[in-house]
Amino acid sequence: MIRAILGIAIAVLLAGCAKMPIIAAPPPPPPPVVLLPPPPPPPPPARTDLYVLMPGADGSVGSLVVTHGDQERILNRPHAAAKIGRPGAVETTTTTEAEAREAFAVALSAQPPRPASFLLYFLLDSDEFTPTSKVVVENILGDIARRPAPEVLVIGHADTVGTDDYNDRLSLQRAGRISRRLIELGIASERIQTSGRGKRELLVPTADQVADPRNRRVEIVVR
């Protein structure tokens, strides 16, 4: 009898337990967010600026001003150089032509050839070359051939003998003679510009009516 009562009590207890809800444990709180300071900026890359003053084709030298921060350096000698290697520092030095050409080989190779100028002289009151000027034409052709898209300026000049009108016509006649000769030798006519300056741009200043052979000339500029 006792066992029956005990069994009934256990059954009732189990039935009561079966009806009780099961409550899950709450999730743990997230870890605190720690904000780290941003990393320091990387140091500026080391500068390797190099400036070199190159002389012109005729050896002439201008000047170059290099500024960095509160520093200023003036380069006014052939192949004078300035370097910026660390912040705020401008160092001056001198290079050789070979060193400068090696340092700037890529930039120099991309440059077009420098303009070249030639002078042809003429006999008095004529568009006939002097004997020595006939040889110069071959040099002109060689220079033009080295340029991928040449431009040729042919500018005629005269001495002070004769009137202004006469010398204007004569200088243009001389320039035209050169232009036609260049075309005969294979230079495209659209590459040539011809003009006459008469006696307005004397190579050697003289008084009027002076037959100076150096002023009877044609200047050819190839660029």
Side-chain angles (χ1 to χ4, degrees):
M1 184 67 177
I2 296 175
R3 290 181 181 177
I5 294 173
L6 181 61
I8 293 172
I10 293 174
V12 172
L13 179 62
L14 291 176
C17 291
K19 294 180 181 180
M20 295 178 61
I22 299 174
I23 301 176
V33 178
V34 179
L35 297 178
L36 299 176
R47 296 185 60 170
T48 57
D49 299 22
L50 174 62
Y51 305 88
V52 179
L53 183 62
M54 302 289 286
D58 58 354
S60 60
V61 179
S63 62
L64 175 65
V65 179
V66 179
T67 59
H68 180 59
D70 58 352
Q71 297 190 60
E72 179 179 290
R73 299 290 185 269
I74 299 177
L75 309 180
N76 54 15
R77 293 178 290 106
H79 304 110
K83 296 180 180 180
I84 302 177
R86 54 189 176 85
V90 181
E91 303 173 6
T92 56
T93 183
T94 301
T95 65
T96 64
E97 181 176 0
E99 291 172 339
R101 292 194 173 276
E102 181 179 0
F104 299 103
V106 175
L108 291 173
S109 64
Q111 286 185 324
R114 288 178 174 176
S117 180
F118 305 87
L119 290 177
L120 300 177
Y121 295 96
F122 292 80
L123 301 178
L124 180 63
D125 290 333
S126 170
D127 62 354
E128 181 64 32
F129 299 138
T130 61
T132 55
S133 292
K134 293 180 180 179
V135 181
V136 178
V137 175
E138 300 300 326
N139 297 333
I140 298 172
L141 289 175
D143 190 277
I144 294 174
R146 289 192 294 270
R147 300 171 188 265
E151 295 181 7
V152 184
L153 307 180
V154 182
I155 308 167
H157 301 272
D159 59 24
T160 61
V161 176
T163 66
D164 290 346
D165 289 342
Y166 171 77
N167 283 306
D168 284 346
R169 293 193 304 271
L170 181 58
S171 65
L172 186 58
Q173 182 180 344
R174 287 168 173 167
R177 170 74 183 276
I178 298 296
S179 297
R180 289 190 297 273
R181 181 56 179 157
L182 293 176
I183 293 171
E184 291 172 357
L185 295 173
I187 307 302
S189 59
E190 61 268 17
R191 296 287 183 187
I192 303 173
Q193 300 180 33
T194 305
S195 64
R197 301 298 298 160
K199 58 182 181 181
R200 289 184 291 276
E201 297 176 1
L202 299 175
L203 183 64
V204 180
T206 68
D208 201 21
Q209 305 303 318
V210 175
D212 193 308
R214 293 168 293 180
N215 288 326
R216 299 192 297 267
R217 72 198 191 280
V218 165
E219 181 182 9
I220 302 175
V221 179
V222 183
R223 61 191 186 190

